[in-house]
Every structure is written in C-alpha cells, then in structure tokens.
Amino acid sequence: MTTRTDVIDHAARRLVVALATPYDAAREHYETLVPEADLGRFSDMTSWQATLELAEINAPHGFMRYYRSDITAVMNGSASCWKATQYLMGNHTIAERMYRHDPSVMLHAPLRTLLYSDLDGNTKLAIDQPSLLFASYGDPRITDVGRELDALLARLVTLLGGEVPPQLTL
C-alpha cells in the first residue's frame, strides 16, 4: 500500500474571450452549441461503442453540458451586479482516454467555464486552457488529449463569434 502524498504545482492560463453578442443571446447560443448531456440515455448504453456513438450525436461540436448554475440568480440581493452563468462542459468519452491512465484527471474534466457580462455590458467567456491543465499530469498520452481539447475549444470560440486566442492553436 502506498502512503506517499504527492504535491503537484502546475501552470494554468485563464482565457477570457470577448464575444460580440449580448449576454442573453450568447448564453442561448452557447447552450445550443454545447447541449445538455443526456445522462439517462448514456446510463442505458450497453456497450462503450454505443456510448461513443451517442456522444457523437449528443455533442455535435465535441462538448456537452453536465452542469449549469445561474450565478446571477444565486447572487440576487447582493451588491454584485454581474450577469453570469457557470458551466461544466466536456465529453466523458474524450475524458476516458485520459482517465484510463490517471483517474485524478477528473479534477479538470469536465472543464469549468463561465459566461458573463462585464460592467460595460460586454459578454465574455472564461475558461482555463485545457492543455495546460492536463499537461500537469506528466503523461504525454494525457497531454495529447489536452491539446485536442484546445482545438475543440478553439472551434467553439469561433462558433460563438469570438476571436480564438493564439495560445489555443500552438
């Protein structure tokens, strides 16, 4: 039995992407591009191949939503005046390709995103860059999947009408 405790420092890069559409329209568009995961159907799958096929349908742009929190509503009555929605988005069939090598990757999968409107009314999408998060596991197989997630994120940013940060295309 192992009794060693590991402490891993790692780099993170927060990407805050400006979106051209107003917050409410951007939120609706995001939720169309990143549909809710159909967890009931996934749990009914009888094989991993069937799960992969359902993921292709459920996540037409690579990602699906596992969680949504309307932060605006939660903060109602406080001095904070932001419009914001927090999401967990990802694709468990992609995450499995990392999980098989190290289950602790699930600390970062699904990915945490925040869609918000700043004080000037500009809409932003904030997310930590996947490839840096997953590179911290020190396994090239996991790092490669992180880079794949960068590419999927770049595609999502484009579909949302944002400018892709060059760090996502390195």
Side-chain angles (χ1 to χ4, degrees):
M1 173 178 247
T2 302
T3 59
R4 187 185 82 218
T5 298
D6 292 324
V7 177
I8 297 126
D9 292 324
H10 65 91
R13 177 181 293 130
R14 183 174 311 118
L15 306 170
V16 181
V17 178
L19 302 177
T21 54
Y23 171 80
D24 291 328
R27 178 179 163 169
E28 184 176 320
H29 192 202
Y30 176 94
E31 292 182 7
T32 299
L33 294 170
V34 183
E36 185 175 359
D38 191 342
L39 298 178
R41 285 189 66 201
F42 278 112
S43 67
D44 290 341
M45 295 296 101
T46 57
S47 71
W48 189 246
Q49 184 58 41
T51 298
L52 292 169
E53 291 168 8
L54 179 56
E56 286 288 322
I57 295 165
N58 198 165
H61 303 291
F63 295 118
M64 53 192 117
R65 283 181 286 121
Y66 294 93
Y67 172 80
R68 176 182 73 184
S69 179
D70 183 348
I71 303 300
T72 306
V74 172
M75 296 295 178
N76 189 31
S78 76
S80 301
C81 57
W82 308 94
K83 283 185 172 181
T85 305
Q86 179 185 68
Y87 300 95
L88 293 180
M89 74 160 194
N91 185 323
H92 56 283
T93 65
I94 295 171
E96 188 280 331
R97 294 178 15 231
M98 298 181 287
Y99 177 76
R100 69 178 73 154
H101 305 294
D102 185 343
S104 66
V105 299
M106 300 313 283
L107 285 169
H108 297 109
L111 302 166
R112 177 179 230 151
T113 64
L114 183 73
L115 189 66
Y116 69 96
S117 177
D118 68 17
L119 294 176
D120 294 324
N122 300 307
T123 306
K124 307 285 179 82
L125 173 69
I127 184 170
D128 287 337
Q129 186 172 352
S131 62
L132 290 179
L133 296 174
F134 294 113
S136 72
Y137 292 89
D139 185 322
R141 298 166 298 186
I142 294 171
T143 300
D144 287 346
V145 176
R147 287 190 197 106
E148 181 183 331
L149 291 168
D150 280 3
L152 287 173
L153 179 58
R155 182 172 165 211
L156 178 62
V157 166
T158 299
L159 291 169
L160 287 168
E163 184 177 325
V164 175
Q167 293 83 353
L168 286 177
T169 59
L170 296 177

CSV table of all heavy atoms in Angstrom, one decimal, residues 37-95:
chain,number,residue,atom,x,y,z
A,37,ALA,N,-25.9,17.1,-21.5
A,37,ALA,CA,-25.6,15.7,-21.6
A,37,ALA,C,-26.9,14.9,-21.3
A,37,ALA,O,-27.5,15.2,-20.3
A,37,ALA,CB,-24.5,15.3,-20.7
A,38,ASP,N,-27.2,13.9,-22.1
A,38,ASP,CA,-28.4,13.1,-21.9
A,38,ASP,C,-28.0,11.9,-21.0
A,38,ASP,O,-27.8,10.8,-21.5
A,38,ASP,CB,-29.0,12.6,-23.2
A,38,ASP,CG,-30.3,11.9,-23.0
A,38,ASP,OD1,-30.7,11.5,-21.9
A,38,ASP,OD2,-31.0,11.8,-24.1
A,39,LEU,N,-27.8,12.2,-19.7
A,39,LEU,CA,-27.2,11.2,-18.8
A,39,LEU,C,-28.1,10.0,-18.7
A,39,LEU,O,-27.6,8.8,-18.5
A,39,LEU,CB,-27.0,11.8,-17.4
A,39,LEU,CG,-26.0,13.0,-17.4
A,39,LEU,CD1,-25.9,13.6,-16.0
A,39,LEU,CD2,-24.7,12.6,-17.9
A,40,GLY,N,-29.4,10.1,-18.8
A,40,GLY,CA,-30.3,8.9,-18.7
A,40,GLY,C,-30.0,8.0,-19.9
A,40,GLY,O,-29.9,6.8,-19.7
A,41,ARG,N,-29.9,8.5,-21.1
A,41,ARG,CA,-29.6,7.7,-22.2
A,41,ARG,C,-28.2,7.1,-22.1
A,41,ARG,O,-28.0,5.9,-22.5
A,41,ARG,CB,-29.7,8.5,-23.5
A,41,ARG,CG,-31.2,8.7,-23.9
A,41,ARG,CD,-31.4,9.3,-25.3
A,41,ARG,NE,-31.0,8.3,-26.3
A,41,ARG,CZ,-30.7,8.7,-27.5
A,41,ARG,NH1,-30.7,10.0,-27.9
A,41,ARG,NH2,-30.3,7.8,-28.5
A,42,PHE,N,-27.2,7.9,-21.6
A,42,PHE,CA,-25.9,7.3,-21.5
A,42,PHE,C,-25.8,6.2,-20.5
A,42,PHE,O,-25.2,5.2,-20.8
A,42,PHE,CB,-24.9,8.4,-21.1
A,42,PHE,CG,-24.4,9.3,-22.2
A,42,PHE,CD1,-24.7,10.6,-22.3
A,42,PHE,CD2,-23.6,8.7,-23.2
A,42,PHE,CE1,-24.3,11.4,-23.4
A,42,PHE,CE2,-23.1,9.5,-24.3
A,42,PHE,CZ,-23.5,10.8,-24.4
A,43,SER,N,-26.6,6.3,-19.4
A,43,SER,CA,-26.6,5.2,-18.5
A,43,SER,C,-27.3,3.9,-19.0
A,43,SER,O,-27.0,2.8,-18.5
A,43,SER,CB,-27.2,5.6,-17.2
A,43,SER,OG,-28.6,5.9,-17.3
A,44,ASP,N,-28.1,4.1,-20.0
A,44,ASP,CA,-28.8,2.9,-20.6
A,44,ASP,C,-27.9,2.2,-21.7
A,44,ASP,O,-28.3,1.1,-22.2
A,44,ASP,CB,-30.1,3.4,-21.3
A,44,ASP,CG,-31.1,3.8,-20.3
A,44,ASP,OD1,-31.0,3.4,-19.1
A,44,ASP,OD2,-32.1,4.5,-20.7
A,45,MET,N,-26.8,2.8,-22.1
A,45,MET,CA,-25.9,2.2,-23.1
A,45,MET,C,-25.4,0.8,-22.6
A,45,MET,O,-25.0,0.7,-21.4
A,45,MET,CB,-24.8,3.1,-23.5
A,45,MET,CG,-25.2,4.4,-24.2
A,45,MET,SD,-26.0,4.2,-25.7
A,45,MET,CE,-27.7,4.4,-25.3
A,46,THR,N,-25.4,-0.1,-23.5
A,46,THR,CA,-24.9,-1.5,-23.1
A,46,THR,C,-23.5,-1.8,-23.5
A,46,THR,O,-23.0,-2.9,-23.2
A,46,THR,CB,-25.9,-2.5,-23.7
A,46,THR,OG1,-25.9,-2.4,-25.1
A,46,THR,CG2,-27.3,-2.4,-23.1
A,47,SER,N,-22.9,-0.9,-24.3
A,47,SER,CA,-21.5,-1.1,-24.7
A,47,SER,C,-20.8,0.3,-24.8
A,47,SER,O,-21.5,1.3,-25.0
A,47,SER,CB,-21.4,-1.8,-26.0
A,47,SER,OG,-21.8,-0.9,-27.1
A,48,TRP,N,-19.5,0.3,-24.7
A,48,TRP,CA,-18.8,1.5,-24.9
A,48,TRP,C,-18.9,2.1,-26.3
A,48,TRP,O,-19.0,3.3,-26.5
A,48,TRP,CB,-17.3,1.3,-24.5
A,48,TRP,CG,-16.6,2.7,-24.5
A,48,TRP,CD1,-15.6,3.1,-25.3
A,48,TRP,CD2,-16.8,3.7,-23.5
A,48,TRP,NE1,-15.2,4.4,-24.9
A,48,TRP,CE2,-15.9,4.8,-23.9
A,48,TRP,CE3,-17.7,3.9,-22.5
A,48,TRP,CZ2,-15.9,6.0,-23.2
A,48,TRP,CZ3,-17.7,5.1,-21.8
A,48,TRP,CH2,-16.8,6.1,-22.1
A,49,GLN,N,-19.0,1.2,-27.3
A,49,GLN,CA,-19.2,1.6,-28.7
A,49,GLN,C,-20.5,2.4,-28.8
A,49,GLN,O,-20.6,3.4,-29.4
A,49,GLN,CB,-19.2,0.4,-29.6
A,49,GLN,CG,-19.3,0.8,-31.1
A,49,GLN,CD,-18.2,1.8,-31.5
A,49,GLN,OE1,-17.0,1.7,-31.2
A,49,GLN,NE2,-18.6,2.8,-32.3
A,50,ALA,N,-21.6,1.9,-28.1
A,50,ALA,CA,-22.9,2.6,-28.2
A,50,ALA,C,-22.7,4.0,-27.5
A,50,ALA,O,-23.3,4.9,-27.9
A,50,ALA,CB,-23.9,1.7,-27.5
A,51,THR,N,-22.0,4.0,-26.4
A,51,THR,CA,-21.7,5.3,-25.7
A,51,THR,C,-21.0,6.3,-26.6
A,51,THR,O,-21.4,7.5,-26.7
A,51,THR,CB,-20.9,5.1,-24.4
A,51,THR,OG1,-21.7,4.2,-23.5
A,51,THR,CG2,-20.6,6.4,-23.7
A,52,LEU,N,-20.0,5.8,-27.3
A,52,LEU,CA,-19.3,6.7,-28.3
A,52,LEU,C,-20.2,7.2,-29.4
A,52,LEU,O,-20.1,8.4,-29.7
A,52,LEU,CB,-18.1,5.9,-28.9
A,52,LEU,CG,-16.9,5.5,-28.0
A,52,LEU,CD1,-16.0,4.5,-28.7
A,52,LEU,CD2,-16.2,6.7,-27.5
A,53,GLU,N,-21.0,6.3,-29.9
A,53,GLU,CA,-22.0,6.8,-30.9
A,53,GLU,C,-23.0,7.8,-30.4
A,53,GLU,O,-23.3,8.8,-31.1
A,53,GLU,CB,-22.7,5.5,-31.5
A,53,GLU,CG,-21.7,4.6,-32.3
A,53,GLU,CD,-22.3,3.3,-32.6
A,53,GLU,OE1,-23.5,3.0,-32.4
A,53,GLU,OE2,-21.6,2.4,-33.2
A,54,LEU,N,-23.5,7.6,-29.2
A,54,LEU,CA,-24.4,8.6,-28.6
A,54,LEU,C,-23.7,9.9,-28.3
A,54,LEU,O,-24.3,11.0,-28.6
A,54,LEU,CB,-25.0,8.0,-27.3
A,54,LEU,CG,-26.0,9.0,-26.6
A,54,LEU,CD1,-27.1,9.4,-27.5
A,54,LEU,CD2,-26.5,8.3,-25.3
A,55,ALA,N,-22.4,9.8,-27.9
A,55,ALA,CA,-21.7,11.1,-27.7
A,55,ALA,C,-21.5,11.9,-29.0
A,55,ALA,O,-21.6,13.1,-28.9
A,55,ALA,CB,-20.3,10.8,-27.1
A,56,GLU,N,-21.3,11.2,-30.1
A,56,GLU,CA,-21.2,11.9,-31.4
A,56,GLU,C,-22.5,12.7,-31.7
A,56,GLU,O,-22.5,13.8,-32.2
A,56,GLU,CB,-21.0,10.9,-32.5
A,56,GLU,CG,-19.6,10.4,-32.5
A,56,GLU,CD,-18.5,11.4,-33.0
A,56,GLU,OE1,-18.8,12.2,-33.9
A,56,GLU,OE2,-17.4,11.4,-32.4
A,57,ILE,N,-23.7,12.1,-31.3
A,57,ILE,CA,-25.0,12.7,-31.5
A,57,ILE,C,-25.2,13.8,-30.5
A,57,ILE,O,-25.6,14.9,-30.9
A,57,ILE,CB,-26.1,11.7,-31.5
A,57,ILE,CG1,-25.9,10.7,-32.6
A,57,ILE,CG2,-27.5,12.3,-31.5
A,57,ILE,CD1,-26.8,9.4,-32.4
A,58,ASN,N,-24.9,13.5,-29.2
A,58,ASN,CA,-25.2,14.5,-28.2
A,58,ASN,C,-24.3,15.7,-28.1
A,58,ASN,O,-24.6,16.7,-27.7
A,58,ASN,CB,-25.1,13.7,-26.8
A,58,ASN,CG,-25.8,14.5,-25.7
A,58,ASN,OD1,-26.1,13.9,-24.6
A,58,ASN,ND2,-26.1,15.7,-25.8
A,59,ALA,N,-23.1,15.5,-28.7
A,59,ALA,CA,-22.1,16.6,-28.6
A,59,ALA,C,-21.6,16.9,-30.1
A,59,ALA,O,-20.5,16.6,-30.4
A,59,ALA,CB,-20.9,16.2,-27.8
A,60,PRO,N,-22.5,17.5,-30.9
A,60,PRO,CA,-22.1,17.7,-32.3
A,60,PRO,C,-20.8,18.5,-32.5
A,60,PRO,O,-20.2,18.5,-33.6
A,60,PRO,CB,-23.3,18.4,-32.9
A,60,PRO,CG,-24.1,18.9,-31.7
A,60,PRO,CD,-23.8,18.1,-30.6
A,61,HIS,N,-20.5,19.4,-31.5
A,61,HIS,CA,-19.3,20.2,-31.6
A,61,HIS,C,-18.2,19.7,-30.6
A,61,HIS,O,-17.3,20.5,-30.3
A,61,HIS,CB,-19.6,21.7,-31.4
A,61,HIS,CG,-20.7,22.1,-32.4
A,61,HIS,ND1,-20.4,22.3,-33.7
A,61,HIS,CD2,-22.0,22.4,-32.2
A,61,HIS,CE1,-21.5,22.7,-34.4
A,61,HIS,NE2,-22.4,22.8,-33.5
A,62,GLY,N,-18.4,18.5,-30.1
A,62,GLY,CA,-17.4,17.9,-29.2
A,62,GLY,C,-17.7,18.0,-27.7
A,62,GLY,O,-17.1,17.2,-27.0
A,63,PHE,N,-18.5,19.0,-27.3
A,63,PHE,CA,-18.7,19.2,-25.9
A,63,PHE,C,-20.2,19.1,-25.6
A,63,PHE,O,-21.1,19.3,-26.4
A,63,PHE,CB,-18.3,20.6,-25.5
A,63,PHE,CG,-16.8,20.9,-25.6
A,63,PHE,CD1,-16.3,21.8,-26.4
A,63,PHE,CD2,-15.9,20.1,-24.8
A,63,PHE,CE1,-15.0,22.1,-26.5
A,63,PHE,CE2,-14.6,20.4,-24.9
A,63,PHE,CZ,-14.1,21.4,-25.7
A,64,MET,N,-20.5,18.7,-24.4
A,64,MET,CA,-21.8,18.7,-23.8
A,64,MET,C,-21.8,19.3,-22.4
A,64,MET,O,-20.7,19.3,-21.8
A,64,MET,CB,-22.5,17.3,-23.9
A,64,MET,CG,-21.7,16.2,-23.3
A,64,MET,SD,-22.4,14.6,-23.7
A,64,MET,CE,-21.0,13.9,-24.6
A,65,ARG,N,-22.9,19.7,-21.9
A,65,ARG,CA,-23.0,20.3,-20.6
A,65,ARG,C,-23.5,19.3,-19.6
A,65,ARG,O,-24.4,18.6,-19.7
A,65,ARG,CB,-24.1,21.4,-20.6
A,65,ARG,CG,-23.7,22.7,-21.2
A,65,ARG,CD,-24.8,23.8,-21.1
A,65,ARG,NE,-25.9,23.5,-22.1
A,65,ARG,CZ,-27.2,23.3,-21.7
A,65,ARG,NH1,-27.6,23.3,-20.5
A,65,ARG,NH2,-28.1,23.0,-22.6
A,66,TYR,N,-22.7,19.2,-18.5
A,66,TYR,CA,-23.0,18.4,-17.4
A,66,TYR,C,-23.6,19.1,-16.2
A,66,TYR,O,-24.2,18.5,-15.3
A,66,TYR,CB,-21.8,17.6,-16.9
A,66,TYR,CG,-21.2,16.7,-17.9
A,66,TYR,CD1,-20.2,17.1,-18.8
A,66,TYR,CD2,-21.7,15.4,-18.1
A,66,TYR,CE1,-19.8,16.3,-19.8
A,66,TYR,CE2,-21.2,14.6,-19.0
A,66,TYR,CZ,-20.2,15.0,-19.9
A,66,TYR,OH,-19.8,14.2,-20.9
A,67,TYR,N,-23.5,20.4,-16.2
A,67,TYR,CA,-23.9,21.2,-15.1
A,67,TYR,C,-24.1,22.7,-15.5
A,67,TYR,O,-23.3,23.2,-16.3
A,67,TYR,CB,-22.9,21.2,-13.9
A,67,TYR,CG,-23.2,22.1,-12.8
A,67,TYR,CD1,-24.1,21.8,-11.8
A,67,TYR,CD2,-22.4,23.3,-12.6
A,67,TYR,CE1,-24.3,22.6,-10.7
A,67,TYR,CE2,-22.6,24.1,-11.6
A,67,TYR,CZ,-23.6,23.8,-10.6
A,67,TYR,OH,-23.8,24.6,-9.5
A,68,ARG,N,-25.1,23.4,-15.0
A,68,ARG,CA,-25.3,24.8,-15.2
A,68,ARG,C,-25.7,25.4,-14.0
A,68,ARG,O,-26.6,24.9,-13.3
A,68,ARG,CB,-26.3,25.0,-16.3
A,68,ARG,CG,-26.6,26.5,-16.6
A,68,ARG,CD,-27.6,26.8,-17.6
A,68,ARG,NE,-28.9,26.4,-17.0
A,68,ARG,CZ,-30.0,26.4,-17.7
A,68,ARG,NH1,-30.0,26.7,-19.0
A,68,ARG,NH2,-31.2,26.1,-17.2
A,69,SER,N,-25.1,26.6,-13.6
A,69,SER,CA,-25.6,27.3,-12.5
A,69,SER,C,-25.7,28.8,-12.8
A,69,SER,O,-24.8,29.4,-13.3
A,69,SER,CB,-24.5,27.2,-11.3
A,69,SER,OG,-24.9,28.0,-10.2
A,70,ASP,N,-26.9,29.3,-12.6
A,70,ASP,CA,-27.2,30.7,-12.9
A,70,ASP,C,-26.7,31.5,-11.7
A,70,ASP,O,-27.3,31.7,-10.7
A,70,ASP,CB,-28.7,30.9,-13.1
A,70,ASP,CG,-29.1,32.3,-13.5
A,70,ASP,OD1,-28.2,33.2,-13.4
A,70,ASP,OD2,-30.3,32.5,-13.8
A,71,ILE,N,-25.5,32.0,-11.9
A,71,ILE,CA,-24.8,32.7,-10.8
A,71,ILE,C,-25.6,34.0,-10.5
A,71,ILE,O,-25.7,34.5,-9.4
A,71,ILE,CB,-23.3,33.0,-11.1
A,71,ILE,CG1,-22.6,31.7,-11.4
A,71,ILE,CG2,-22.6,33.8,-10.0
A,71,ILE,CD1,-22.6,30.7,-10.3
A,72,THR,N,-26.1,34.7,-11.5
A,72,THR,CA,-26.9,35.9,-11.4
A,72,THR,C,-28.0,35.7,-10.3
A,72,THR,O,-28.2,36.5,-9.4
A,72,THR,CB,-27.5,36.3,-12.7
A,72,THR,OG1,-26.5,36.4,-13.7
A,72,THR,CG2,-28.2,37.7,-12.6
A,73,ALA,N,-28.7,34.6,-10.5
A,73,ALA,CA,-29.8,34.3,-9.6
A,73,ALA,C,-29.3,34.0,-8.2
A,73,ALA,O,-29.9,34.4,-7.2
A,73,ALA,CB,-30.7,33.1,-10.1
A,74,VAL,N,-28.2,33.2,-8.1
A,74,VAL,CA,-27.7,32.9,-6.8
A,74,VAL,C,-27.2,34.1,-6.0
A,74,VAL,O,-27.3,34.2,-4.8
A,74,VAL,CB,-26.5,31.9,-6.9
A,74,VAL,CG1,-25.8,31.6,-5.6
A,74,VAL,CG2,-27.0,30.6,-7.5
A,75,MET,N,-26.7,35.1,-6.7
A,75,MET,CA,-26.2,36.3,-6.1
A,75,MET,C,-27.3,37.4,-6.0
A,75,MET,O,-27.0,38.5,-5.5
A,75,MET,CB,-25.0,36.9,-6.9
A,75,MET,CG,-23.8,36.0,-6.9
A,75,MET,SD,-23.2,35.8,-5.3
A,75,MET,CE,-21.8,34.7,-5.6
A,76,ASN,N,-28.5,37.1,-6.3
A,76,ASN,CA,-29.6,38.1,-6.2
A,76,ASN,C,-29.7,38.7,-4.8
A,76,ASN,O,-29.7,38.0,-3.8
A,76,ASN,CB,-30.9,37.4,-6.6
A,76,ASN,CG,-32.1,38.4,-6.7
A,76,ASN,OD1,-31.8,39.5,-7.1
A,76,ASN,ND2,-33.3,37.9,-6.4
A,77,GLY,N,-29.8,40.0,-4.8
A,77,GLY,CA,-29.9,40.7,-3.5
A,77,GLY,C,-28.6,41.1,-2.9
A,77,GLY,O,-28.5,41.9,-2.0
A,78,SER,N,-27.5,40.6,-3.5
A,78,SER,CA,-26.2,41.1,-3.1
A,78,SER,C,-25.8,42.4,-3.8
A,78,SER,O,-26.5,42.8,-4.6
A,78,SER,CB,-25.1,40.0,-3.4
A,78,SER,OG,-24.8,40.0,-4.7
A,79,ALA,N,-24.6,42.9,-3.4
A,79,ALA,CA,-24.1,44.1,-4.0
A,79,ALA,C,-23.5,43.8,-5.4
A,79,ALA,O,-23.3,44.8,-6.2
A,79,ALA,CB,-23.1,44.7,-3.1
A,80,SER,N,-23.4,42.6,-5.8
A,80,SER,CA,-22.8,42.2,-7.1
A,80,SER,C,-23.9,42.4,-8.2
A,80,SER,O,-25.0,41.9,-8.0
A,80,SER,CB,-22.3,40.7,-7.1
A,80,SER,OG,-21.4,40.6,-6.1
A,81,CYS,N,-23.5,42.9,-9.3
A,81,CYS,CA,-24.5,43.2,-10.3
A,81,CYS,C,-24.1,42.5,-11.7
A,81,CYS,O,-24.6,42.9,-12.7
A,81,CYS,CB,-24.6,44.7,-10.5
A,81,CYS,SG,-23.1,45.5,-10.9
A,82,TRP,N,-23.3,41.5,-11.6
A,82,TRP,CA,-22.9,40.8,-12.8
A,82,TRP,C,-24.0,39.9,-13.3
A,82,TRP,O,-24.7,39.3,-12.5
A,82,TRP,CB,-21.7,39.9,-12.6
A,82,TRP,CG,-20.5,40.6,-11.9
A,82,TRP,CD1,-20.2,40.7,-10.6
A,82,TRP,CD2,-19.5,41.3,-12.6
A,82,TRP,NE1,-19.1,41.3,-10.4
A,82,TRP,CE2,-18.6,41.8,-11.6
A,82,TRP,CE3,-19.2,41.6,-13.9
A,82,TRP,CZ2,-17.4,42.5,-11.9
A,82,TRP,CZ3,-18.0,42.3,-14.2
A,82,TRP,CH2,-17.2,42.7,-13.2
A,83,LYS,N,-24.0,39.7,-14.6
A,83,LYS,CA,-24.8,38.6,-15.2
A,83,LYS,C,-23.8,37.5,-15.4
A,83,LYS,O,-22.8,37.7,-16.1
A,83,LYS,CB,-25.5,39.0,-16.5
A,83,LYS,CG,-26.7,39.8,-16.4
A,83,LYS,CD,-27.3,40.0,-17.8
A,83,LYS,CE,-28.6,40.7,-17.7
A,83,LYS,NZ,-29.1,40.9,-19.1
A,84,ALA,N,-24.1,36.3,-14.9
A,84,ALA,CA,-23.1,35.2,-15.1
A,84,ALA,C,-23.8,33.8,-15.0
A,84,ALA,O,-24.7,33.7,-14.2
A,84,ALA,CB,-22.0,35.3,-14.1
A,85,THR,N,-23.2,32.9,-15.8
A,85,THR,CA,-23.7,31.5,-15.8
A,85,THR,C,-22.4,30.7,-15.8
A,85,THR,O,-21.5,30.9,-16.6
A,85,THR,CB,-24.6,31.1,-16.9
A,85,THR,OG1,-25.7,32.0,-17.0
A,85,THR,CG2,-25.1,29.7,-16.8
A,86,GLN,N,-22.4,29.7,-14.9
A,86,GLN,CA,-21.2,28.8,-14.8
A,86,GLN,C,-21.6,27.4,-15.3
A,86,GLN,O,-22.8,27.0,-15.1
A,86,GLN,CB,-20.8,28.7,-13.3
A,86,GLN,CG,-19.7,27.7,-13.0
A,86,GLN,CD,-19.5,27.6,-11.5
A,86,GLN,OE1,-20.4,27.0,-10.8
A,86,GLN,NE2,-18.4,28.1,-11.0
A,87,TYR,N,-20.7,26.8,-16.0
A,87,TYR,CA,-21.0,25.5,-16.6
A,87,TYR,C,-19.8,24.5,-16.3
A,87,TYR,O,-18.7,24.9,-16.2
A,87,TYR,CB,-21.1,25.6,-18.2
A,87,TYR,CG,-22.1,26.6,-18.7
A,87,TYR,CD1,-21.8,27.9,-19.0
A,87,TYR,CD2,-23.4,26.1,-18.9
A,87,TYR,CE1,-22.8,28.7,-19.4
A,87,TYR,CE2,-24.4,27.0,-19.3
A,87,TYR,CZ,-24.1,28.3,-19.6
A,87,TYR,OH,-25.1,29.1,-20.1
A,88,LEU,N,-20.2,23.3,-16.4
A,88,LEU,CA,-19.2,22.2,-16.5
A,88,LEU,C,-19.5,21.6,-17.9
A,88,LEU,O,-20.6,21.1,-18.1
A,88,LEU,CB,-19.3,21.1,-15.4
A,88,LEU,CG,-19.0,21.6,-14.0
A,88,LEU,CD1,-19.2,20.4,-13.0
A,88,LEU,CD2,-17.6,22.1,-13.9
A,89,MET,N,-18.5,21.7,-18.8
A,89,MET,CA,-18.7,21.1,-20.1
A,89,MET,C,-17.6,20.2,-20.5
A,89,MET,O,-16.4,20.4,-20.0
A,89,MET,CB,-18.8,22.3,-21.2
A,89,MET,CG,-17.5,22.9,-21.5
A,89,MET,SD,-17.6,23.8,-23.1
A,89,MET,CE,-15.8,24.0,-23.3
A,90,GLY,N,-17.9,19.2,-21.3
A,90,GLY,CA,-16.8,18.3,-21.7
A,90,GLY,C,-17.4,17.2,-22.5
A,90,GLY,O,-18.5,17.4,-23.1
A,91,ASN,N,-16.7,16.1,-22.5
A,91,ASN,CA,-17.2,14.9,-23.2
A,91,ASN,C,-16.5,13.7,-22.5
A,91,ASN,O,-15.3,13.6,-22.6
A,91,ASN,CB,-16.8,15.0,-24.7
A,91,ASN,CG,-17.3,13.9,-25.5
A,91,ASN,OD1,-17.4,12.8,-25.0
A,91,ASN,ND2,-17.7,14.2,-26.7
A,92,HIS,N,-17.3,13.0,-21.8
A,92,HIS,CA,-16.8,11.9,-21.0
A,92,HIS,C,-16.1,10.8,-21.9
A,92,HIS,O,-15.2,10.1,-21.4
A,92,HIS,CB,-17.8,11.2,-20.1
A,92,HIS,CG,-19.1,10.7,-20.7
A,92,HIS,ND1,-20.0,11.6,-21.2
A,92,HIS,CD2,-19.4,9.5,-21.1
A,92,HIS,CE1,-21.0,10.9,-21.8
A,92,HIS,NE2,-20.7,9.6,-21.7
A,93,THR,N,-16.5,10.7,-23.1
A,93,THR,CA,-15.8,9.7,-24.0
A,93,THR,C,-14.4,10.2,-24.3
A,93,THR,O,-13.5,9.4,-24.6
A,93,THR,CB,-16.6,9.4,-25.3
A,93,THR,OG1,-16.7,10.6,-26.1
A,93,THR,CG2,-18.0,8.9,-24.9
A,94,ILE,N,-14.2,11.5,-24.4
A,94,ILE,CA,-12.8,12.0,-24.5
A,94,ILE,C,-12.1,11.9,-23.2
A,94,ILE,O,-10.9,11.5,-23.2
A,94,ILE,CB,-12.9,13.5,-25.0
A,94,ILE,CG1,-13.5,13.6,-26.4
A,94,ILE,CG2,-11.5,14.1,-25.0
A,94,ILE,CD1,-13.7,15.0,-26.9
A,95,ALA,N,-12.7,12.3,-22.1
A,95,ALA,CA,-12.1,12.2,-20.8
A,95,ALA,C,-11.6,10.8,-20.5
A,95,ALA,O,-10.6,10.6,-19.8
A,95,ALA,CB,-13.1,12.7,-19.7
